[in-house]
Amino acid sequence: MLAFLVKRLLNAVGVMLAVAFLAFMIFRFVGDPVELMLNEQASQAQRDELRMRLGLDRSFFVQFGTFVFNAMRGDFGISYRNQQEVFTLIVERFPATFELVLVATFLSLAIGIPLGVYSAIRRESLGAQAIQFISVLGVSLPSFALGILFILLFSVTLQWLPAFGRGETVALGWWTTGLLTPSGRLALILPGLTLSLFQITLVMRLVRAEMLETMRTEFIRFARARGLPDGSIHFRHALRNCLMPVITVTGLQIGNLIAFALVTETVFQWPGMGLLFVQAVTFVDIPVMAAYLIIVSFIFVTLNTLVDLTYALVDPRLRQDALAGGAHGR
Amino acid sequence: MAANASTFKRLFASDLGYSFRQSPVAMTSFVLLVFLMLTAFLAPWISPQDPHDLKQLFIDKAELPPIWAKDGEWPFILGTDPQGRDVLSAILYGTRISLIIGLAAVAVSMTVGVAIGLMAGFFGGWIDNLLMRIGDTVLSIPTLLVAILVSAIFRGLLPPAMRDPFAAIILVLAIALTGWVQYARTVRASTMVERRKEYVLAARIIGVSPARVMRKHILPNTLTPVMVAATLNLGLAILSEATLSFLGVGMPITQPSLGTLIRIGNQYLFSGSWWLVVFPALHLGLIVLAVNLLGDWLRDALNPKLR
């Protein structure tokens, strides 16, 4: 177990170092930071002075080391665009993205699980086939197009829901939340639905496949033989056995949702870190890009590692595999 | 030509051909896809207007709604944009760009992925370890993020005047850079099985070079899952291209793809010109839907467990 733990952790650290290296390369070689930070009239002496202050005159490895060390302390430098500390900028935007992802995750479970169960137990029905077709339709329409169509229908035509922004927010310490005000909750509906659509189809397909498998097992047949009502068989016995993979996938997908939120945030002008990143890309604001890459990858890698470790804790077979040297067979 | 006809006949009579003729969904989506591809690639000959030629724009016919609405006018079936550009023509030209980039991205990622998978599976050892580790690392960052960053980096490295002509190539590279891992993994897995079989050993014993063994003996036996993955990835690649263009790191306004058209149309969302965004979005959805349905069918048809 310890060997597996160490191996997974080393793996995660390795990936993070690779990401940090990529971020550093962007930071160092895409455009000259000195040229980007000073205006055109700056003298050679000013340039040299800034170059020295930024540590750009030292060797490559020293610079990379400093970069990693600073990143670990949350110091990602100053944004080229608005001269603020990058870390503060991103932390300010984090609650907006987090709430959006939370709502999307909740929606995907609340809608995906019932639909999945329904299409498994009424496999041949018209309703189940309609759901299957809509799910293919759902993955074919990109989320940004769907978001725009939502805005057109619910905001422009029907004028039921707001088309952009977070509505009113309440500050709880450094955290801002839109969940406590009516306008904040209304503003969450469309972006949350847009972001969750892909996830809903994913959860639905997974639950359907797992349910179909479970329904064929002995203990379900035994439950039927005992004369239990259908509802009890489906929900208390079968569904419970399907939830473990659903929880795993949901956990793994949170990282992807955070990354994909940048598209939704652009459509709905949602003031999260994804929108900040997209704006940074447009303005070639490299410190913000590098920091966003590192932070999102960190969340992603941490979640993956945690899920792997939990699995090993629950399922002893995986530990044996790991000791035999096949830990990356995923 | 005779060889082509007999290949077609063989395909028609094969299991796959039979399964195709049995599946109305597969046939419908295939016909739809062929139709969409033909209209896109024949755009210069069939579309009412060349949307890139400023002389052909009708400034006096700006922002006309679709033809069935009150102010609609022939021949602007799907309306016009604020510059007097025919929306249908813009969609056909845009689809051509989207399809070319999607197909090229799949071709590049498939070639690279298959080559890497063959080498990793055939040689094993540290080569395998190194290549698969690189793949793991690529996949441990969300793919959308990788694509945006690659696109942003290339654009940052090129001088501004060079960005637009190279936009399509940058997009292909950005999408292919994350796409190859899946091919590499499937090909590696089947290569590791195939290389232990007797026909491979026999070929090696009579002195066939490793490169030739990989290409002529192992490769043909690993291609079935690759075909399925390629079809499904075409849908994904088209979506990625559209997303990047929508975010503003893809095709420029001078050569708009479907994603760029949606990005432009999005700016007129609140001015009532809904046709500028709805039609490109639906067209994009239709293409990807056809590709996905075809891919799903192919996956099931080639899956021996489901036969």
Side-chain angles (χ1 to χ4, degrees), chain A residues 304-323:
Chain A
N304 279 348
T305 312
L306 280 179
V307 168
D308 271 12
L309 291 181
T310 324
Y311 250 55
L313 218 59
V314 177
D315 189 344
R317 281 171 303 181
L318 287 176
R319 269 177 266 162
Q320 291 305 316
D321 283 357
L323 292 179

Side-chain angles (χ1 to χ4, degrees), chain A residues 200-214:
Chain A
I200 291 174
T201 61
L202 195 73
V203 170
M204 198 198 89
R205 285 171 173 220
L206 189 67
V207 170
R208 178 176 179 273
E210 292 285 328
M211 277 291 277
L212 286 176
E213 197 124 308
T214 315

Side-chain angles (χ1 to χ4, degrees), chain A residues 111-123:
Chain A
I111 301 174
I113 293 180
L115 287 184
V117 171
Y118 175 78
S119 53
I121 56 184
R122 300 254 181 284
R123 193 146 71 117

Side-chain angles (χ1 to χ4, degrees), chain B residues 219-244:
Chain B
L219 181 62
N221 288 314
T222 60
L223 282 184
T224 308
V226 170
M227 265 166 57
V228 177
T231 317
L232 288 171
N233 277 347
L234 177 62
L236 272 181
I238 293 173
L239 284 188
S240 305
E241 186 280 325
T243 305
L244 292 179

Side-chain angles (χ1 to χ4, degrees), chain A residues 214-234:
Chain A
T214 315
M215 295 299 282
R216 281 194 220 115
T217 54
E218 291 282 319
F219 81 95
I220 294 294
R221 205 179 301 168
F222 180 58
R224 280 209 201 291
R226 278 159 67 201
L228 294 179
D230 271 359
S232 166
I233 294 177
H234 294 148

Side-chain angles (χ1 to χ4, degrees), chain A:
Chain A
M1 188 60 204
L2 192 69
F4 178 69
L5 189 85
V6 170
K7 200 166 173 176
R8 283 304 286 134
L9 284 180
L10 279 181
N11 204 347
V13 170
V15 169
M16 276 321 292
L17 275 179
V19 170
F21 187 70
L22 183 67
F24 174 71
M25 295 294 278
I26 299 170
F27 183 72
R28 188 64 191 77
F29 293 107
V30 180
D32 184 353
V34 176
E35 296 296 329
L36 286 165
M37 285 171 91
L38 287 176
N39 59 23
E40 288 180 5
Q41 284 89 36
S43 67
Q44 190 57 43
Q46 276 173 311
R47 280 164 209 267
D48 289 344
E49 201 265 339
L50 182 66
R51 198 168 289 276
M52 201 120 105
R53 201 151 55 83
L54 291 173
L56 296 177
D57 53 338
R58 279 176 286 174
S59 86
F60 183 83
F61 290 102
V62 175
Q63 283 185 45
F64 180 54
T66 322
F67 181 81
V68 172
F69 182 69
N70 285 340
M72 284 198 303
R73 291 184 310 163
D75 176 7
F76 293 98
I78 309 281
S79 158
Y80 294 163
R81 188 162 138 246
N82 41 19
Q83 304 292 320
Q84 275 174 293
E85 259 203 50
V86 173
F87 191 66
T88 331
L89 270 178
I90 291 186
V91 167
E92 269 173 14
R93 303 285 197 108
F94 181 74
T97 300
F98 185 78
E99 273 181 11
L100 185 59
V101 169
L102 203 69
V103 167
T105 306
F106 172 77
L107 283 176
S108 68
L109 294 176
I111 301 174
I113 293 180
L115 287 184
V117 171
Y118 175 78
S119 53
I121 56 184
R122 300 254 181 284
R123 193 146 71 117
E124 304 297 329
S125 74
L126 213 62
Q129 284 176 5
I131 292 172
Q132 285 288 311
F133 183 72
I134 292 173
S135 84
V136 182
L137 210 67
V139 289
S140 299
L141 203 61
S143 65
F144 68 90
L146 189 85
I148 292 171
L149 296 182
F150 275 163
I151 292 179
L152 207 55
L153 182 62
F154 293 108
S155 308
V156 179
T157 313
L158 298 172
Q159 306 206 326
W160 287 351
L161 295 165
F164 51 83
R166 273 186 95 185
E168 259 177 83
T169 54
V170 179
L172 303 169
W174 64 275
W175 189 276
T176 55
T177 177
L179 290 170
L180 296 178
T181 62
S183 74
R185 283 193 293 261
L186 276 183
L188 265 167
I189 297 177
L190 285 186
L193 208 58
T194 307
L195 183 59
S196 67
L197 189 88
F198 180 76
Q199 186 85 353
I200 291 174
T201 61
L202 195 73
V203 170
M204 198 198 89
R205 285 171 173 220
L206 189 67
V207 170
R208 178 176 179 273
E210 292 285 328
M211 277 291 277
L212 286 176
E213 197 124 308
T214 315
M215 295 299 282
R216 281 194 220 115
T217 54
E218 291 282 319
F219 81 95
I220 294 294
R221 205 179 301 168
F222 180 58
R224 280 209 201 291
R226 278 159 67 201
L228 294 179
D230 271 359
S232 166
I233 294 177
H234 294 148
F235 291 98
R236 289 197 44 199
H237 293 262
L239 180 61
R240 236 190 236 183
N241 268 277
C242 306
L243 286 184
M244 189 62 197
V246 173
I247 293 168
T248 321
V249 167
T250 307
L252 282 176
Q253 281 288 323
I254 286 180
N256 258 330
L257 278 181
I258 290 178
F260 252 91
L262 68 88
V263 180
T264 317
E265 287 175 10
T266 310
V267 174
F268 291 95
Q269 292 297 302
W270 189 261
M273 38 184 214
L275 187 61
L276 182 76
F277 173 70
V278 172
Q279 286 164 347
V281 168
T282 333
F283 287 97
V284 205
D285 190 348
I286 287 155
V288 175
M289 283 162 63
Y292 178 84
L293 171 69
I294 292 181
I295 290 173
V296 171
S297 304
F298 181 72
I299 298 173
F300 201 70
V301 170
T302 310
L303 284 172
N304 279 348
T305 312
L306 280 179
V307 168
D308 271 12
L309 291 181
T310 324
Y311 250 55
L313 218 59
V314 177
D315 189 344
R317 281 171 303 181
L318 287 176
R319 269 177 266 162
Q320 291 305 316
D321 283 357
L323 292 179
H328 56 281
R330 212 158 26 91

Side-chain angles (χ1 to χ4, degrees), chain B:
Chain B
M1 222 35 220
N4 271 343
S6 79
T7 316
F8 180 76
K9 258 186 208 153
R10 258 210 344 254
L11 199 65
F12 188 78
S14 69
D15 288 353
L16 201 62
Y18 178 75
S19 153
F20 182 73
R21 277 173 281 138
Q22 291 297 306
S23 162
V25 175
M27 283 192 288
T28 316
S29 48
F30 181 74
V31 171
L32 183 62
L33 192 63
V34 169
F35 173 74
L36 290 171
M37 282 189 167
L38 277 181
T39 50
F41 288 112
L42 296 177
W45 295 279
I46 60 168
S47 68
Q49 183 196 58
D50 178 357
H52 304 320
D53 183 0
L54 294 177
K55 286 192 294 266
Q56 289 190 30
L57 305 186
F58 302 90
I59 299 296
D60 53 327
K61 301 270 197 269
E63 276 195 277
L64 288 178
I67 197 154
W68 56 85
K70 199 168 65 87
D71 298 321
E73 261 182 58
W74 183 262
F76 309 107
I77 301 174
L78 300 181
T80 58
D81 77 356
Q83 279 91 48
R85 186 176 284 122
D86 177 39
V87 170
L88 178 64
S89 307
I91 288 178
L92 293 180
Y93 274 80
T95 309
R96 192 162 72 138
I97 296 176
S98 293
L99 280 174
I100 291 174
I101 293 176
L103 289 168
V106 170
V108 171
S109 55
M110 189 170 78
T111 315
V112 173
V114 167
I116 287 181
L118 272 177
M119 286 201 286
F122 189 78
F123 293 117
W126 68 269
I127 298 180
D128 179 28
N129 230 326
L130 176 74
L131 292 173
M132 287 301 114
R133 272 302 126 123
I134 295 175
D136 285 352
T137 312
V138 170
L139 286 196
S140 40
I141 317 171
T143 48
L144 177 69
L145 204 53
V146 179
I148 294 176
L149 279 168
V150 171
S151 181
I153 293 169
F154 277 118
R155 290 160 71 88
L157 289 175
L158 287 174
M162 302 281 278
R163 279 178 203 164
D164 287 1
F166 281 97
I169 298 173
I170 294 174
L171 273 173
V172 169
L173 290 179
I175 298 167
L177 201 73
T178 52
W180 63 270
V181 184
Q182 196 192 348
Y183 300 100
R185 284 185 175 174
T186 45
V187 170
R188 169 180 174 266
S190 22
T191 305
M192 286 167 80
V193 176
E194 295 297 325
R195 74 158 180 202
R196 294 202 184 88
K197 290 197 178 159
E198 282 174 351
Y199 72 93
V200 174
L201 285 179
R204 299 204 65 184
I205 287 168
I206 59 170
V208 180
S209 73
R212 200 178 153 80
V213 170
M214 280 193 265
R215 213 173 58 239
K216 293 278 176 184
H217 298 253
I218 297 180
L219 181 62
N221 288 314
T222 60
L223 282 184
T224 308
V226 170
M227 265 166 57
V228 177
T231 317
L232 288 171
N233 277 347
L234 177 62
L236 272 181
I238 293 173
L239 284 188
S240 305
E241 186 280 325
T243 305
L244 292 179
S245 291
F246 173 75
L247 292 174
V249 288
M251 294 306 288
I253 299 177
T254 46
Q255 310 154 262
S257 69
L258 285 175
T260 322
L261 289 179
I262 297 172
R263 173 186 169 80
I264 301 168
N266 194 24
Q267 295 159 2
Y268 299 95
L269 207 55
F270 295 96
S271 69
S273 307
W274 53 271
W275 56 91
L276 294 179
V277 66
V278 168
F279 294 124
L282 291 182
H283 201 81
L284 176 65
L286 207 59
I287 295 170
V288 182
L289 179 68
V291 173
N292 281 348
L293 287 174
L294 210 58
D296 279 347
W297 162 77
L298 195 64
R299 183 183 54 199
D300 292 348
L302 292 175
N303 187 348
K305 273 191 209 155
L306 291 176
R307 274 201 196 137

